[in-house]
Amino acid sequence: MIDKEPSITVGVQRGDTVDFRLRDTFYTPAGEAFPAGEYRACPASDGRGVSVGGRVFDTLRLLPSRPESLFDLPHVTIGVDFHWQRQECQTFCGILQLLAHGTTVHAVNEVPLETYLTSVISSEMSATSSLELLKAHAVVSRSWLLAQLPRLSGRPAPVRSFSRGEETPDEIVCWYDRDDHTLFDVCADDHCQRYQGLTRVATPYVSRAVAETRGEVLMYGGEVCDARFSKCCGGVSERFENCWGPEPHDYLQPVYDAPDDRLRVDLTREQEAERFIDSRPDVFCHTADAAILSQVLNSYDRETPDFFRWQVRYSARELSALVARRSGIDFGEITRLEPLRRGPSGRIVSLRIVGTRCEKTVGKELYIRRILSPSHLYSSAFVVRRSGTDFILDGAGWGHGVGMCQIGAAVMAHRGYDYRAILRHYYPGAGLDCYYR
Ligand SMILES: [Zn+2]
Ligand SMILES: [Zn+2]
């Protein structure tokens, strides 16, 4: 437990230069005024600090003159590396920091944690989301955040492996976790949690969900839970260690996404995984109800409505070129994709790729999703089939599948479960506690 609400620093934009627009007067901590207007920050010519308006600062920290003072970042890239990557103008409250690291300028927003959460949940969820779904999400996002940031939770950094990889001539095993932020706490993209400042206006429900759960987090064994979540589990949720480092998390265990959450299939077995992925099980996240789906999916996400069960088809030539480009490995012509190990959700953890020039085993799930798609496959829970020389991937779910299934949670809330019941379902054994008042 801590005394008061912490602040958080969010890396929103980076580039050779960063343009920003102050809508009001801002001040440096030394009291120097920056009047409303447009500015450009670039790295100082001697490589030390950031240059704005011909002046050089170590870090330029701009404090709003009034709590409601706003600033804009006109060219923020969202959805980096995802199929919907685009630029937009975003608006923020709080403190703006500009700092240079090498030849890159970073725009960092410093805001109170609950304000950050309100924005994250507004970005992540739609304005039509139900209150209980939003409350569940508020607790999950707050828990995840505090667990990532020992600086905020006041406990020593957990011994964890980030983006650790092992590469031998025969095998590549790598995973991706938050590892590359040294200049701020979190970034604004899906790598951490999608944050767009005030760009998507908080609906009264989001503000209420955050306020009514203020400081509330999931706890397990005296520690804040590393509460993961993804779009759609596909029927069964995945284990932490099949997506990230090898440390098991007792509250991130496979859950059958239905009222009776007893695990009734063993998707680590190839035949059962095939049968399950080919089926349309009656689970929470199996819904075509547009009103429910639109609670979780923003408009750009609704461009992909087929995530519960999906199919991708490549010719052998397309697949070989794609994998060569995405992995940097020349397999020659790929002749076989063979799942070697699946997790309890059916997600492939270890995949054998056989080509005419070489063969290798690759994992974990995100690496597999990255090299088998120009952006990302929806998930690594797929079955490989051949049709002539084509490869057909029939898959299930969207995302890593660990922890809360957002679509499933939306359906649960719609059916009358409250946020505590939703959290109990997706994080077995975890309790709820208040971390600060
Ligand atoms: Zn990040
Ligand atoms: Zn689900």
Side-chain angles (χ1 to χ4, degrees), residues 246-269:
E247 311 79 18
H249 289 51
D250 288 343
Y251 50 88
L252 297 175
Q253 296 296 325
V255 168
Y256 195 83
D257 198 8
D260 170 10
D261 58 12
R262 181 177 45 87
L263 200 59
R264 62 200 86 187
V265 281
D266 182 2
L267 306 185
T268 62
R269 297 153 62 112

Side-chain angles (χ1 to χ4, degrees), residues 11 19 82 346:
D19 293 331
F82 281 80

Side-chain angles (χ1 to χ4, degrees), residues 14-306:
R14 61 179 183 176
D16 304 338
T17 62
V18 168
D19 293 331
F20 60 99
R21 186 187 309 128
L22 304 178
R23 296 211 202 162
D24 199 349
T25 305
F26 279 64
Y27 292 94
T28 66
E32 186 184 339
F34 275 70
E38 301 198 352
Y39 297 87
R40 171 165 289 181
C42 47
S45 50
D46 65 355
R48 284 162 196 265
V50 62
S51 166
V52 178
R55 306 214 16 232
V56 174
F57 304 83
D58 249 2
T59 293
L60 176 58
R61 200 152 166 266
L62 293 170
L63 286 61
S65 48
R66 299 174 298 150
E68 61 273 24
S69 301
L70 303 178
F71 65 88
D72 300 316
L73 296 172
H75 311 296
V76 179
T77 304
I78 60 168
V80 177
D81 290 344
F82 281 80
H83 57 100
W84 42 266
Q85 178 171 330
R86 65 195 67 177
Q87 275 202 347
E88 70 176 20
C89 175
Q90 298 189 348
T91 304
F92 301 86
C93 63
I95 297 168
L96 170 63
Q97 291 181 22
L98 294 146
L99 50 99
H101 188 71
T103 57
T104 304
V105 178
H106 294 263
V108 176
N109 186 200
E110 194 179 324
V111 282
L113 193 141
E114 300 284 317
T115 308
Y116 168 78
L117 274 182
T118 305
S119 171
V120 163
I121 294 164
S122 303
S123 302
E124 184 80 36
M125 312 293 281
S126 103
T128 61
S129 302
S130 66
L131 183 62
E132 293 305 313
L133 173 64
L134 292 171
K135 285 167 84 168
H137 219 291
V139 174
V140 168
S141 294
R142 188 182 292 112
S143 306
W144 178 85
L145 192 64
L146 287 165
Q148 303 308 304
L149 300 171
R151 179 182 79 69
L152 299 188
S153 52
R155 59 188 176 87
V159 181
R160 287 207 313 211
S161 331
F162 293 121
S163 297
R164 194 65 77 68
E166 279 158 36
E167 184 161 357
T168 68
D170 191 54
E171 186 166 18
I172 297 174
V173 181
C174 63
W175 61 89
Y176 308 84
D177 215 326
R178 296 188 56 262
D179 62 332
D180 49 355
H181 304 318
T182 51
L183 304 171
F184 39 80
D185 294 326
V186 290
C187 71
D189 222 305
D190 284 5
H191 171 259
C192 291
Q193 295 190 87
R194 201 185 290 170
Y195 172 70
Q196 294 155 311
L198 304 178
T199 312
R200 275 173 188 74
V201 179
T203 64
Y205 261 11
V206 173
S207 306
R208 200 176 137 194
V210 173
E212 287 183 7
T213 62
R214 182 181 167 84
E216 224 175 313
V217 291
L218 286 159
M219 301 282 292
Y220 187 90
E223 301 232 302
V224 179
C225 293
D226 186 356
R228 307 286 167 133
F229 63 92
S230 68
K231 278 275 172 353
C232 172
C233 71
V236 179
S237 67
E238 190 48 76
R239 284 183 205 281
F240 177 91
E241 60 270 35
N242 285 338
C243 297
W244 297 287
E247 311 79 18
H249 289 51
D250 288 343
Y251 50 88
L252 297 175
Q253 296 296 325
V255 168
Y256 195 83
D257 198 8
D260 170 10
D261 58 12
R262 181 177 45 87
L263 200 59
R264 62 200 86 187
V265 281
D266 182 2
L267 306 185
T268 62
R269 297 153 62 112
E270 195 58 28
Q271 282 185 346
E272 266 191 77
E274 266 189 49
R275 207 166 348 163
F276 189 76
I277 291 170
D278 283 342
S279 73
R280 300 281 188 279
D282 181 20
V283 291
F284 286 129
C285 56
H286 181 194
T287 180
D289 185 328
I292 294 178
L293 289 175
S294 70
Q295 291 188 28
V296 177
L297 307 181
N298 276 312
S299 54
Y300 40 80
D301 293 330
R302 248 175 281 153
E303 291 160 17
T304 55
D306 57 343

Side-chain angles (χ1 to χ4, degrees), residues 366-386:
L366 188 55
Y367 185 73
I368 293 171
R369 289 165 63 197
R370 283 186 178 179
I371 66 170
L372 292 181
S373 163
S375 53
H376 288 72
L377 275 184
Y378 292 151
S379 83
S380 73
F382 57 83
V383 175
V384 183
R385 299 199 166 93
R386 301 300 299 270

